[in-house]
Amino acid sequence: MSPAVAGRVTELAAELASTVSRPWTVMEVCGGQTHAILRWGLDQLLPPGLRLIHGPGCPVCVTPAERLDAALALAARPEVILCSYGDMLRVPGSAAGAAGADPVAATDLLGARAAGGDVRLLTSPLEAMALAQAAPDREVVFLAVGFETTAPATALLLRQARALGLANLSVLLAHVRVAPAMEALLLEPANQVQGFLAAGHVGAVMGTAELGQLVERHRVPVVVTGFEPADVMAGLLRLVQLLEAGTPALANAYGRVVRAQGNGVAQALLQEVFVVTDQPWRGLGPIAGGGFALAPAYRHFDALGRLGAPVVGPEPAAASPCISGRILQGRALPAECPAFGRACTPEHPLGAPMVSSEGACAAYYRYRRQAV
């Protein structure tokens, strides 16, 4: 952190301290913000009474185990090349930690690759199209994950594949939508969240309309903010100002990136290729409108429909000390997990939040492990 940024953060922390007059509990819903908060120790600068909890801001972490199970089943087939982003290779499926699980069976895609499956790491969805073109005798399946920020890239992949008539490319879709998850958290009987810091990258794509509707329905303030230390602190200050004033409003503290209307080109791609659907989130359960499915004109790209991979039911109860579900709901901190830093490490993760570079457990392990 540069001296100028450090000075600005200090100023914002002082203003926060002078603004807070009562206890407040707020949540950030972005793994990038969680890592920034812990990396720069921003939570340690907050005044007494201001409690910051971490939400399900990691799309890799909330990908349901049954979708991983389907990916593992596909990866075991000799005609399939299964590809996805790097973080997904070590996310456990439902067999990990399940009582009576086959100890030889692969529990993540890295294990599937070690067992002989053709599992590839991609940095861009368009690489999947290149793979399909280079291997016309193979079935290329892209495990597509992410919030609304990465969904347009998957939509572009499918639009181009359709134009080219690629018959050996399909997707295992696991894209999720953030605003419905925020609403699901507010509807929980044990909800403690009084205000949200919303993810600036999602706002850059989708705009702020859905967040405004959320504010109107639930009368909680939401502030869109970025990922740099000063961005996070400025967003927190604006959120606390709204709370103290009793004003349930939407504010944009990331105006240099986020516009109210969002990115129209990206939104048009999403509307062409996908439809909104109910979607299970790992750790949260089914969420109304929580994800995307393929639109009718693109359903022939559905890997499950095309290749007949088994649709696995809800993840079984696991004999594991991992409390990742509670962590993803913001009901516990990683350091409160009995397995954190002991049985569960980035090298041997028990839960998805320890795997992903955006996961809360990975952030605590990297920046706070010595304090536990």
Side-chain angles (χ1 to χ4, degrees):
M1 192 186 304
S2 70
V5 172
R8 178 58 180 153
V9 167
T10 300
E11 291 173 1
L12 290 165
E15 193 168 354
L16 261 174
S18 65
T19 303
V20 172
S21 67
R22 70 193 82 173
W24 299 111
T25 298
V26 301
M27 173 183 281
E28 90 274 0
V29 195
C30 172
Q33 291 172 349
T34 301
H35 276 252
I37 288 163
L38 294 168
R39 178 184 180 185
W40 301 112
L42 303 183
D43 55 324
Q44 298 174 342
L45 302 177
L46 302 184
L50 180 56
R51 179 176 172 233
L52 183 61
I53 56 178
H54 316 304
C58 164
V60 169
C61 304
V62 301
T63 300
E66 53 264 34
R67 197 54 50 96
L68 266 297
D69 292 341
L72 288 167
L74 288 168
R77 296 171 61 163
E79 75 274 20
V80 169
I81 300 173
L82 194 291
C83 50
S84 193
Y85 302 120
D87 280 355
M88 291 306 303
L89 269 61
R90 299 184 66 240
V91 176
S94 63
D102 181 355
V104 179
T107 58
D108 59 30
L109 288 171
L110 198 62
R113 184 163 71 178
D118 195 345
V119 178
R120 312 278 185 99
L121 184 156
L122 303 185
T123 57
S124 164
L126 293 180
E127 294 175 38
M129 186 168 65
L131 277 175
Q133 291 172 313
D137 59 331
R138 306 284 301 280
E139 290 285 347
V140 175
V141 178
F142 176 52
L143 174 56
V145 302
F147 294 148
E148 294 96 328
T149 47
T150 55
T154 301
L156 180 61
L157 164 69
L158 294 177
R159 175 195 272 179
Q160 294 194 7
R162 184 183 181 209
L164 292 171
L166 279 179
N168 65 325
L169 174 70
S170 58
V171 295
L172 190 56
L173 204 61
H175 283 299
V176 292
R177 302 175 63 243
V178 177
M182 295 166 67
E183 183 152 38
L185 291 169
L186 291 172
L187 290 171
E188 283 291 320
N191 169 58
Q192 300 177 40
V193 179
Q194 296 168 289
F196 285 106
L197 288 183
H201 54 9
V202 174
V205 174
M206 301 304 295
T208 59
E210 276 192 303
L211 296 174
Q213 294 163 9
L214 184 74
V215 169
E216 290 178 6
R217 285 194 295 269
H218 296 278
R219 311 303 293 169
V220 295
V222 175
V223 176
V224 181
T225 194
F227 313 94
E228 297 299 319
D231 289 330
V232 175
M233 292 297 284
L236 271 172
L237 175 60
R238 185 71 187 109
L239 185 58
V240 168
Q241 288 170 340
L242 292 172
L243 286 166
E244 290 281 338
T247 305
L250 171 67
N252 181 5
Y254 201 36
R256 69 180 186 273
V257 173
V258 176
R259 302 290 182 269
Q261 69 274 20
N263 185 321
V265 174
Q267 291 171 27
L269 260 176
L270 295 178
Q271 291 167 9
E272 174 188 338
V273 178
F274 301 132
V275 293
V276 173
T277 187
D278 298 347
Q279 174 94 344
W281 282 46
R282 193 170 195 156
L284 277 74
I287 293 180
F292 290 113
L294 293 173
Y298 288 87
R299 282 183 189 154
H300 59 289
F301 287 108
D302 175 38
L304 296 179
R306 177 184 293 183
L307 302 177
V311 179
V312 183
E315 47 194 288
S320 170
C322 175
I323 62 167
S324 58
R326 289 176 54 80
I327 291 167
L328 288 168
Q329 296 169 39
R331 296 170 59 190
L333 294 175
E336 296 170 11
C337 178
F340 175 79
R342 301 174 181 87
C344 183
T345 67
E347 292 75 26
H348 301 285
L350 296 182
M354 185 61 90
V355 175
S356 173
S357 59
E358 293 189 351
C361 295
Y364 271 78
Y365 188 88
R366 182 173 184 180
Y367 301 116
R368 297 289 170 82
R369 179 169 36 124
Q370 302 305 322
V372 177

